[in-house]
Amino acid sequence: VKAHQHSTGAASCRDEAIGISVAGNSSKLHLIVDACGNPVHVALTGGQVHDSKMANALIKSTIKKETKAVVADRGYDSSDIRECIFEHCAESVIPVKSNSKSNNNALNWYLYRCRHLVENAFARLKHFRGVATRYDKLKASYEAAVILACVFIWLPLI
């Protein structure tokens, strides 16, 4: 999420999850969805934080005993993430990177096709203007807006 130019500069000594990079100020949403593509857990970091750094924390905090598989794209291909998934007795459906010495012969490609559900969840979240363009200066305010958007996504299901 590209942070709006007025979202920076909060008079706070805490981390407000706005990262400075070449492209400007940005924030990154890390999202875990269920098998139907509905958001289950949301984490917010600065734009400079790589996705794989948050993966272990998200997996440990949200994976349950009934979870059978964790599906992710090539960006999450690391032995630490795979070990974390195997510790929770789930199948890792993550393809290896192209520069890896191993191959994707054991990958369940049918399950891997379901990862579009995460992209669909992000698309639904970006229908909310406050989520698509971060105007909030404080991390807590922006997280609250994202969680409220997730609640609106869940409402028709209840």
Side-chain angles (χ1 to χ4, degrees), residues 51-116:
D51 295 338
S52 63
K53 294 194 178 193
M54 287 295 296
N56 283 342
L58 287 173
I59 290 169
K60 288 176 184 174
S61 67
T62 58
I63 200 165
K64 297 180 175 97
K65 289 185 180 184
E66 61 267 5
T67 303
K68 303 225 187 302
V70 176
V71 182
D73 60 359
R74 293 181 199 275
Y76 295 94
D77 177 31
S78 76
S79 59
D80 292 340
I81 295 172
R82 289 180 194 274
E83 286 174 16
C84 182
I85 294 169
F86 290 135
E87 285 173 4
H88 290 87
C89 300
E91 179 186 358
S92 171
V93 186
I94 304 171
V96 295
K97 293 180 184 173
S98 59
N99 59 356
S100 177
K101 292 183 181 179
S102 60
N103 56 22
N104 290 320
N105 291 342
L107 187 70
N108 187 344
W109 288 103
Y110 178 74
L111 275 178
Y112 182 68
R113 291 178 61 188
C114 295
R115 74 180 171 86
H116 76 280

Side-chain angles (χ1 to χ4, degrees), residues 1-77:
V1 175
K2 199 83 159 122
H4 194 265
Q5 63 183 356
H6 299 298
S7 65
T8 60
S12 170
C13 37
R14 290 184 286 159
D15 178 32
E16 299 302 340
I18 297 177
I20 300 172
S21 64
V22 176
N25 299 324
S26 62
S27 295
K28 194 174 280 192
L29 282 173
H30 305 275
L31 187 66
I32 290 185
V33 300
D34 63 1
C36 298
N38 300 312
V40 175
H41 188 78
V42 176
L44 181 67
T45 60
Q48 78 279 6
V49 178
H50 193 269
D51 295 338
S52 63
K53 294 194 178 193
M54 287 295 296
N56 283 342
L58 287 173
I59 290 169
K60 288 176 184 174
S61 67
T62 58
I63 200 165
K64 297 180 175 97
K65 289 185 180 184
E66 61 267 5
T67 303
K68 303 225 187 302
V70 176
V71 182
D73 60 359
R74 293 181 199 275
Y76 295 94
D77 177 31

